[in-house]
Amino acid sequence: MRNGKGTVILDKTPKRGFSTAEFRQRTAKAQVQMAKAGCAGLLLTSEHDVRYFTGFHTSFWQSPTRPWFVFVPSNGKPIAVIPEIGAELMRRSWIDDIRTWSAPSPKDDGITILKELLLPLSRKCARIGVPKGHETSLRMPLGDWECLLAALPGLKIYDATDIVQGLRMIKSAAEIEKLGHICRIGSKVFSEMQHIIHEGMPLEEVFRQFRLTAIGLGADDAPYVVGAADHQGYSDVISPPSRRPLQVGDVLMVDSGSTWDGYFCDFDRNWAIGHASDKARRAYDVLWRATEAGIAAAKPGNTCRDLFLAMSSIIAEMDDCGADIGRLGHGLGMQLTEQPSHAAFNETELKENMVLTIEPSLSYGDGLMMVHEENIVLGSTNAELLTARADLELPVVV
Amino acid sequence: MRNGKGTVILDKTPKRGFSTAEFRQRTAKAQVQMAKAGCAGLLLTSEHDVRYFTGFHTSFWQSPTRPWFVFVPSNGKPIAVIPEIGAELMRRSWIDDIRTWSAPSPKDDGITILKELLLPLSRKCARIGVPKGHETSLRMPLGDWECLLAALPGLKIYDATDIVQGLRMIKSAAEIEKLGHICRIGSKVFSEMQHIIHEGMPLEEVFRQFRLTAIGLGADDAPYVVGAADHQGYSDVISPPSRRPLQVGDVLMVDSGSTWDGYFCDFDRNWAIGHASDKARRAYDVLWRATEAGIAAAKPGNTCRDLFLAMSSIIAEMDDCGADIGRLGHGLGMQLTEQPSHAAFNETELKENMVLTIEPSLSYGDGLMMVHEENIVLGSTNAELLTARADLELPVVV
């Protein structure tokens, strides 16, 4: 909610989790796509894909020790093949068929159970979908994957990247509510940071204060905090913090991904310390207007390429190459970055209920670069901001 | 540092990063192992392996969009094949040969550069190492991996899991210093939590206070906070928090992994709210003594299996199956859990400078379980605690 002055009012906290109806719907939609692709099932191994179809939500994935599998058959509910340690939590989900083993078991970490599950399909020379394209990775040992394939010689593997990403790109009302909530928290954090940042504060302390403020204001966590500060501007946007104190003449940028109930916001803000150079002010103004152009172009029917070109045409006022970030924004959801990418190569059609970042960047000489970012949701005719829009001019803190 | 009363005094913050000498040594050690295995190089794709050999340290890996590669040749420095957005940060490392492309580029995300790099080895039918065993995964699209292999038909892939994990299991002095620092911070957090936790506090708020306290006391982040609280005890150890308020008669467990400069502590603590049942007290006592037995058995020359058996023999006083967690502790370092696993199947010899968790668990009826955990470093003859030892008896908070 915005009160018309660009400040954000924190709303009531939404409900955690999702209804069974929502998981049923996700599964049914996947099954429609699977039928079109001639797939007898989907085998999923990543945290996000497993969570998307089951609701299984735990930080335990941070341990690389155990693989977790979900098989979405062509009909009926997904089947979980998981370590026994997760059975109690999975039983609280909508999944009925939960097959477990005592993990870790390096010689057989779920492979025999998977083989038994998939052998009938292998005998029929069926095709199953596995995401193996852009932005995916197989979250199990490669050696185990090779063993599994060798034991199922009839099975045909179909690249199911588009099926899974295609579904995940379009958010449900409940997902949008969660994303809106964390974007509002993120906006409030940046608005507080304006009063916390000061000359002499080490960059490391800026990051620490950001995290404390985000968690204090209701984020579950702030796992992604990167940024930079340097004289007249910065040249890198993915670094961990140094202990260098902020100095008059610096431009500071903090980019952040905070989470609530497993959903991310992802946006950044810039500040000048004490005063700003004309060039930095101009870069900021160009990016502010490029963001406006991006938001205006973000409507159903346009493509990611259109969005990219709309931003690029403004960025070109100051920089005709663009900072080499490779794209000008992306999808947002359970991951800090999701499909689609706003890039010249991407003809993905924008659709209602996509949640996107609008993220123009530019280089403005002497190795300096600047980035801007907002988060939006697409309605039926136009985009709505989920973040409180950045100040019109590069804000100066003292 | 411990002051003899079980409380921890926070020491001076160590230096961030590592010396070039350390990266040189890691690389040289890998090259010795590669020579033994007849490998002409190692191809690495995971955040931890890339960081281990280069020092490249960024949260940017949280975005799944871009793959990152490091090739460790049989002689000389590692070669980075990375998206242009990381070039500036990689140039600050000890790596000279940095080959970049403008990513994302779904049709060719670094694959042409990798092909050029590896083609001479393929022509010689050389063998390169790729970690593909237990606790590893290939952090790049499976489809890209298949394309790469198809373009390099002479290349033989050797499972380099043991080479990389074998090196990473033995920590350097600088790594132990970082691990000690974050364990001291973690200990201080738990000691503060004792005063923060109270009847009526929702579990979600316990987690939030844990994170705030950890970051406030100097952790860079507290990415792993899980736990449970329920009447007389808990039955699950990997769940996100509920909003259920703590009640008299609950046993609360918080397990946590906080980080400093990319290194984790990983340990838990238990508390009874108001009062504890005799059974919960007894479970706690058994686990406290099992931990002692584990620490005593953790010495060079013994194996992980010895460590497991030492703990199991005490656990058997109350539970002869063990809670089905699959192991009783593990290695600790850049990841929340690393090799080795303390399990009956694991004959890995314990060595000086391993950093380990000692993590006995048991079931004590009615579906209830309890876990304990401490972090230790192995000296030449015995283990030293990195964490302030848990109270001798189940602490009661009101």
Side-chain angles (χ1 to χ4, degrees):
Chain A
M1 212 184 304
R2 297 174 74 192
N3 65 2
K5 290 175 197 164
T7 58
V8 164
I9 303 159
L10 287 187
D11 60 337
K12 224 178 119 244
T13 303
K15 202 168 161 273
R16 288 190 185 257
F18 292 100
S19 69
T20 296
E22 175 139 1
F23 292 114
R24 226 179 264 284
Q25 204 164 42
R26 292 176 185 179
T27 302
K29 282 182 184 168
Q31 286 164 338
V32 168
Q33 297 302 318
M34 286 154 61
K36 281 186 195 164
C39 280
L42 285 183
L43 180 63
L44 305 171
T45 63
S46 79
E47 192 272 334
H48 309 95
D49 291 346
V50 167
R51 173 151 55 103
Y52 189 73
F53 286 102
T54 64
F56 186 74
H57 187 197
T58 170
S59 304
F60 202 63
W61 289 85
Q62 289 178 50
S63 162
T65 301
R66 298 167 184 84
W68 307 77
F69 307 100
V70 161
F71 182 73
V72 184
S74 52
N75 282 295
K77 291 186 182 185
I79 296 161
V81 177
I82 60 168
E84 179 59 32
I85 196 173
E88 165 84 13
L89 184 58
M90 187 64 89
R91 277 194 286 267
R92 291 185 228 157
S93 79
W94 78 300
I95 305 301
D96 302 321
D97 189 346
I98 302 169
R99 307 181 189 187
T100 71
W101 77 98
S102 176
S105 171
K107 291 202 173 143
D108 183 9
D109 256 334
I111 302 306
T112 295
I113 308 182
L114 282 181
K115 273 184 207 166
E116 278 165 18
L117 176 66
L118 299 174
L119 201 56
L121 296 177
S122 174
R123 290 204 177 113
K124 282 192 259 177
C125 294
R127 171 190 258 194
I128 65 160
V130 173
K132 48 189 258 190
H134 187 51
E135 304 210 353
T136 72
S137 61
L138 192 70
R139 205 274 191 186
M140 67 185 285
L142 181 60
D144 282 1
W145 170 248
E146 291 168 351
C147 282
L148 185 67
L149 286 191
L152 299 166
L155 213 60
K156 296 189 174 44
I157 305 299
Y158 173 83
D159 182 0
T161 306
D162 288 350
I163 295 180
V164 178
Q165 289 179 349
L167 286 175
R168 284 182 45 195
M169 269 197 278
I170 311 294
K171 268 64 183 180
S172 70
E175 285 182 296
I176 292 168
E177 197 184 10
K178 291 177 203 295
L179 287 159
H181 184 64
I182 189 60
C183 284
R184 280 185 289 271
I185 291 173
S187 299
K188 187 90 173 79
V189 178
F190 277 123
S191 133
E192 301 267 316
M193 286 306 288
Q194 189 122 351
H195 309 295
I196 291 170
I197 296 161
H198 56 78
E199 189 199 338
M201 181 180 257
L203 189 55
E204 190 182 294
E205 186 57 23
V206 174
F207 280 36
R208 188 176 309 284
Q209 289 301 326
F210 186 94
R211 282 207 158 92
L212 290 172
T213 307
I215 297 167
L217 284 170
D220 289 338
D221 201 359
Y224 186 73
V225 186
V226 298
D230 220 327
H231 185 60
Q232 305 259 356
Y234 47 87
S235 57
D236 171 71
V237 293
I238 68 166
S239 288
S242 68
R243 292 192 193 177
R244 178 182 173 280
L246 296 175
Q247 293 167 19
V248 168
D250 279 0
V251 179
L252 162 68
M253 184 277 297
V254 177
D255 189 6
S256 73
S258 300
T259 54
W260 190 81
D261 201 25
Y263 282 76
F264 270 96
C265 64
D266 173 21
F267 63 110
D268 61 41
R269 290 293 178 258
N270 292 275
W271 299 271
I273 310 301
H275 64 80
S277 70
D278 288 346
K279 252 188 154 175
R281 276 177 215 272
R282 201 177 146 224
Y284 187 97
D285 172 65
V286 169
L287 289 176
W288 202 94
R289 287 183 292 110
T291 306
E292 286 298 290
I295 295 170
K299 52 177 90 178
N302 275 355
T303 65
C304 290
R305 180 180 160 84
D306 294 331
L307 232 173
F308 175 85
L309 294 176
M311 287 186 263
S312 298
S313 70
I314 310 286
I315 294 167
E317 290 178 20
M318 199 162 181
D319 173 14
D320 54 11
C321 310
D324 202 355
I325 288 183
R327 59 178 178 177
L328 301 177
H330 50 78
L332 183 65
M334 287 189 281
Q335 287 174 285
L336 178 71
T337 78
E338 295 190 351
Q339 286 289 346
S341 286
H342 310 325
F345 61 74
N346 197 329
E347 302 278 5
T348 304
E349 193 184 322
L350 299 176
K351 291 189 178 150
E352 188 173 358
N353 297 330
M354 280 186 172
V355 174
L356 304 172
T357 71
I358 298 293
E359 192 174 3
S361 56
L362 55 73
S363 297
Y364 59 104
D366 305 323
L368 301 180
M369 66 183 297
M370 193 178 276
V371 292
H372 268 226
E373 194 169 10
E374 303 286 3
N375 300 163
I376 60 171
V377 57
L378 264 60
S380 57
T381 57
N382 61 307
E384 267 181 61
L385 274 166
L386 295 176
T387 44
R389 192 76 172 89
D391 290 354
L392 188 60
E393 295 184 354
L394 177 54
V396 178
V397 295
V398 283
Chain B
M1 213 183 307
R2 296 174 74 190
N3 65 3
K5 291 176 196 160
T7 58
V8 164
I9 302 159
L10 286 186
D11 61 338
K12 225 178 117 242
T13 303
K15 203 167 161 273
R16 287 188 186 259
F18 293 99
S19 69
T20 297
E22 175 139 359
F23 292 114
R24 228 179 263 285
Q25 205 164 41
R26 293 176 184 179
T27 303
K29 282 183 184 169
Q31 286 164 339
V32 168
Q33 297 304 317
M34 284 152 62
K36 280 187 196 164
C39 280
L42 284 183
L43 180 64
L44 305 171
T45 64
S46 79
E47 193 273 332
H48 309 94
D49 291 345
V50 166
R51 173 150 56 101
Y52 188 73
F53 286 102
T54 64
F56 186 74
H57 187 195
T58 170
S59 304
F60 203 62
W61 288 86
Q62 289 178 50
S63 163
T65 301
R66 297 167 184 84
W68 307 77
F69 306 100
V70 161
F71 183 72
V72 184
S74 52
N75 283 295
K77 291 187 181 183
I79 297 161
V81 177
I82 60 167
E84 178 58 33
I85 195 172
E88 166 84 12
L89 183 60
M90 188 63 89
R91 276 194 288 268
R92 290 184 228 157
S93 80
W94 77 301
I95 304 301
D96 302 320
D97 189 348
I98 302 169
R99 308 180 189 188
T100 71
W101 77 98
S102 176
S105 170
K107 291 203 174 141
D108 184 9
D109 256 333
I111 301 306
T112 295
I113 308 182
L114 281 181
K115 273 184 207 168
E116 279 165 16
L117 176 67
L118 300 175
L119 200 56
L121 296 177
S122 174
R123 290 206 177 109
K124 282 192 260 177
C125 294
R127 171 190 259 195
I128 66 161
V130 173
K132 47 190 257 189
H134 188 49
E135 305 211 351
T136 73
S137 61
L138 192 69
R139 205 276 192 183
M140 67 185 285
L142 181 60
D144 283 2
W145 170 250
E146 291 168 349
C147 282
L148 185 67
L149 286 190
L152 300 166
L155 213 59
K156 295 188 175 43
I157 305 299
Y158 173 83
D159 183 358
T161 306
D162 288 350
I163 296 180
V164 178
Q165 289 179 349
L167 286 174
R168 284 182 45 195
M169 270 197 280
I170 311 295
K171 267 65 182 180
S172 70
E175 284 183 296
I176 292 168
E177 197 185 9
K178 292 177 203 294
L179 287 159
H181 184 63
I182 189 61
C183 284
R184 280 186 288 272
I185 292 173
S187 300
K188 187 88 170 80
V189 177
F190 277 122
S191 132
E192 301 267 316
M193 286 307 288
Q194 190 123 350
H195 308 296
I196 293 170
I197 296 162
H198 56 79
E199 188 199 338
M201 181 180 256
L203 189 55
E204 190 182 295
E205 186 59 21
V206 174
F207 280 35
R208 188 176 310 284
Q209 290 301 326
F210 186 94
R211 282 207 158 90
L212 289 172
T213 307
I215 297 168
L217 284 170
D220 290 339
D221 202 359
Y224 186 75
V225 186
V226 298
D230 219 329
H231 185 61
Q232 304 258 357
Y234 46 87
S235 56
D236 171 70
V237 292
I238 69 168
S239 288
S242 68
R243 293 193 191 174
R244 178 182 172 280
L246 295 177
Q247 293 168 20
V248 168
D250 279 0
V251 179
L252 163 67
M253 185 278 298
V254 177
D255 189 5
S256 74
S258 299
T259 55
W260 189 82
D261 202 25
Y263 282 76
F264 270 95
C265 64
D266 173 21
F267 64 110
D268 61 40
R269 289 295 178 258
N270 293 273
W271 299 272
I273 310 301
H275 64 80
S277 69
D278 287 345
K279 250 188 155 173
R281 277 177 213 271
R282 200 176 147 225
Y284 187 98
D285 173 66
V286 170
L287 289 176
W288 200 95
R289 287 183 292 109
T291 305
E292 285 297 290
I295 295 170
K299 51 176 91 178
N302 275 354
T303 65
C304 289
R305 181 182 159 83
D306 294 330
L307 232 172
F308 175 85
L309 294 177
M311 287 186 264
S312 298
S313 70
I314 310 286
I315 293 168
E317 291 179 20
M318 198 160 181
D319 172 15
D320 54 11
C321 311
D324 202 354
I325 287 183
R327 59 178 177 179
L328 301 178
H330 50 79
L332 184 65
M334 288 189 280
Q335 288 174 283
L336 178 70
T337 76
E338 294 190 351
Q339 286 288 348
S341 285
H342 310 325
F345 61 74
N346 197 329
E347 302 278 5
T348 304
E349 192 183 321
L350 299 175
K351 290 190 179 150
E352 189 174 358
N353 297 329
M354 281 186 172
V355 174
L356 304 171
T357 71
I358 299 293
E359 191 175 2
S361 56
L362 56 72
S363 297
Y364 59 104
D366 303 325
L368 301 180
M369 65 182 298
M370 193 179 276
V371 292
H372 267 228
E373 195 169 10
E374 303 285 3
N375 299 162
I376 60 171
V377 58
L378 264 60
S380 58
T381 56
N382 60 307
E384 265 181 61
L385 274 167
L386 295 176
T387 44
R389 191 76 172 92
D391 290 354
L392 188 62
E393 293 185 356
L394 177 54
V396 178
V397 295
V398 283

